[in-house]
């Protein structure tokens, strides 16, 4: 769909899907994330990033197989705006979670047993990776919109 | 310096300076911000945004008085990159503070006396306004870089 080198775009999408899935699973399975607003926000946003990235990865594969089938300028604008919104939201979610994890580590141990805290930290790190890749996609698509 | 309508750019810069100063003062004067990493980060970033915005506001006024004196393409690229980095950092700082404030409100009252919590909330809100204006400046400058 977008005209960046297809493999770069596809790798970015796959990376986003992998990192956001990891963040979602680490945060939501077997951990009490629902006690903290920031963690709920992180889970929600990662739940939005996963279908977005998977859909666009499939579009990328499709347009690699059938070149020039999906090149519509309006689509690129929509994808660029969506990427930018999702990258802002995922940065906000990852930062909020990082702030909360740091505070929980500095409070007494009752709020954050070591097993849970490690999961929270790992999930937040994965969310930052997902943000970085989403921001890269967003900049690539913005460049396309500007040049096209 | 930048070629957006000068008054829009100047208003954005003044707004950034005002909101980031408000966030910095509300967070740092008479409140124990140094106990929390997220609040220290917020104070640091707001302390970076203030001189940046004030300097660029002065450049804007200077280039309104002496037109065509400071139009160098390299300068616009540096300003666009600086704006983007500062907008990412201020969003991260504001989100981390918001997460921490929310957590403090839900913990018992010992961590956050009502007087302090109100200040934290207000400061975080101001930081979000400062982020919004910095992001707007950043997009305007990116458009200039793309079109120039």
């Amino acid at each position: 769909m977008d005209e960046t080198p297809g493999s770069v775009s596809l790798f970015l999408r796959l990376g986003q899907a992998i990192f956001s899935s990891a963040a979602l699973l680490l945060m939501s399975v077997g951990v009490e994330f629902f006690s903290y607003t920031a963690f709920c926000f992180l889970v929600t946003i990662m739940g939005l990033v996963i279908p977005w990235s998977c859909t666009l990865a499939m579009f990328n594969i499709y347009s690699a197989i059938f070149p020039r089938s999906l090149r519509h300028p309006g689509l690129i604008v929509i994808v660029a705006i969506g990427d930018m919104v999702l990258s802002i939201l995922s940065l906000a979610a990852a930062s909020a979670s990082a702030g909360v994890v740091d505070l929980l580590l500095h409070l007494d141990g009752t709020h954050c047993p070591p097993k849970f805290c490690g999961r929270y930290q790992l999930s937040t790190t994965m969310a930052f990776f997902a943000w970085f890749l989403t921001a890269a996609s967003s900049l690539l698509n913005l460049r396309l919109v500007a040049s096209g």
Side-chain angles (χ1 to χ4, degrees), chain A:
Chain A
M1 178 149 58
D2 36 20
E3 302 185 27
T4 45
S7 55
V8 175
S9 186
L10 182 60
F11 273 119
L12 286 177
R13 298 292 172 199
L14 290 180
Q16 288 161 30
I18 291 169
F19 285 125
S20 51
S21 307
L24 181 66
L25 289 178
L26 282 168
M27 186 61 87
S28 60
V29 178
V31 181
E32 290 172 359
F33 73 92
F34 40 80
S35 319
Y36 305 103
T37 315
F39 296 160
C40 294
F41 184 45
L42 185 78
V43 167
T44 311
I45 300 302
M46 291 299 120
L48 285 173
V49 171
I50 295 170
W52 174 263
S53 304
C54 290
T55 310
L56 289 177
M58 281 190 287
F59 270 118
N60 263 309
I61 294 171
Y62 182 82
S63 65
I65 299 174
F66 304 103
R68 305 210 155 272
S69 57
L70 280 170
R71 292 192 176 171
H72 191 283
L75 276 181
I76 298 181
V77 174
I78 293 174
V79 171
I81 293 176
D83 268 331
M84 179 166 285
V85 170
L86 278 182
S87 78
I88 290 174
L89 289 176
S90 44
L91 175 60
S95 308
S97 303
V100 169
V101 168
D102 180 78
L103 181 58
L104 287 178
L105 282 174
H106 285 87
L107 291 176
D108 47 355
T110 56
H111 291 288
C112 189
K115 184 193 134 204
F116 282 11
C117 256
R119 293 278 292 273
Y120 294 151
Q121 284 175 306
L122 208 55
S123 169
T124 306
T125 314
M126 294 294 145
F128 271 112
F129 286 139
W131 160 69
F132 189 76
L133 295 180
T134 317
S137 284
S138 166
L139 284 180
L140 277 179
N141 282 319
L142 268 188
R143 205 196 56 183
L144 276 184
V145 171
S147 69

